[in-house]
Amino acid sequence: ARAWADQLLALKPDDPGAQYWHAVAHGRTPETQPPEVVTNIFDGYAQNFDMHLVRALQYRVPERVAQILLEKHPDRRFNLLDLGCGTGLVGVYLGRVEGHIIGVDLSERMIEQAARHGIYSRFHHVNVLDALRETPADHYEAITCTDVLIYVGDLAPVIPNAFRILRPAGTSSSVARQPARTRPTWCCGPASAMPTRLPAWSVNCARRASTTS
């Protein structure tokens, strides 16, 4: 992989994608993936995304995440930041809430698909790190991030910023891919073409501690 990455960078020294893969191959973690790495995958995949994942691969992560949120907020009174919202599957399984669902995604085509459901209040066409960094503190009761972290890069600022923008007792629900028979872990790996078989997945929930006066 390192030799291939070296050759790629030699051919395209100014290409952000080549620079990114070269860093990954040599054991470095870039701050984030270049936007075009993500959009090249998902802009072309948006039209068939739901059909492929939900019907063909029996992808149930957004459904389970929605169930967890509704268990914690049975009155449906909460505001949600859906990081990497994709085609809006979390919103579809949630339905309407007594609050706002805000979608964040780098793929305009994925956002277009999500907007068709009429569930989200608005969308931000930015990456996860920018969305978290630019959101005011104590702003949301819930944050979701389903199968998105592998496209982020350096995860160091993700968790602190997520907890910063959560309101007291708010919930952050994240899903990360993991190899079969391994413990759940926060990890970063290179993006790849969509799999023909989904690996094991886990749902990790963290609740911000309630503050007292």
Side-chain angles (χ1 to χ4, degrees):
R2 291 183 177 180
W4 177 86
D6 291 343
Q7 293 176 16
L8 179 63
L9 187 64
L11 291 172
K12 300 180 177 181
D14 298 321
D15 183 82
Q19 294 169 359
Y20 173 82
W21 294 121
H22 185 268
V24 170
H26 285 269
R28 299 188 298 276
T29 302
E31 178 182 353
T32 188
Q33 289 190 8
E36 55 267 29
V37 173
V38 177
T39 57
N40 286 347
I41 295 173
F42 290 103
D43 278 354
Y45 193 32
Q47 191 71 31
N48 299 313
F49 185 85
D50 292 356
M51 181 77 70
H52 183 207
L53 261 71
V54 177
R55 295 192 182 183
L57 299 181
Q58 299 294 301
Y59 183 63
R60 294 291 181 262
V61 170
E63 181 179 12
R64 179 60 185 135
V65 168
Q67 290 172 351
I68 291 172
L69 289 175
L70 293 177
E71 289 169 2
K72 295 180 181 299
H73 303 279
D75 59 359
R76 293 180 172 269
R77 294 182 179 274
F78 65 97
N79 295 300
L80 168 67
L81 179 63
D82 187 8
L83 297 170
C85 65
T87 59
L89 288 174
V90 169
V92 169
Y93 286 112
L94 275 176
R96 296 192 179 278
V97 301
E98 295 297 322
H100 295 286
I101 302 178
I102 308 301
V104 172
D105 208 282
L106 269 177
S107 170
E108 289 190 64
R109 298 293 178 264
M110 297 291 265
I111 288 177
E112 289 172 1
Q113 294 295 317
R116 297 172 60 184
H117 302 303
I119 300 294
Y120 289 76
S121 298
R122 61 182 178 273
F123 297 92
H124 297 297
H125 183 224
V126 297
N127 66 34
V128 167
L129 297 177
D130 288 342
L132 289 170
R133 182 169 50 245
E134 296 171 10
T135 299
D138 301 323
H139 208 65
Y140 290 97
E141 284 80 16
I143 302 172
T144 54
C145 188
T146 58
D147 277 323
V148 174
L149 297 178
I150 60 172
Y151 302 103
V152 171
D154 183 6
L155 299 181
V158 172
I159 304 305
N161 264 321
F163 274 74
R164 178 184 62 81
I165 68 178
L166 280 173
R167 290 179 175 173
T171 300
S172 174
S173 178
S174 65
V175 179
R177 301 184 189 196
Q178 57 172 326
R181 301 184 184 134
T182 62
R183 297 176 60 190
T185 182
W186 292 93
C187 60
C188 174
S192 60
M194 291 301 159
T196 56
R197 181 175 61 86
L198 289 177
W201 58 271
S202 64
V203 178
N204 301 305
C205 287
R207 180 179 288 269
R208 177 177 170 180
S210 298
T211 58
T212 57
S213 56

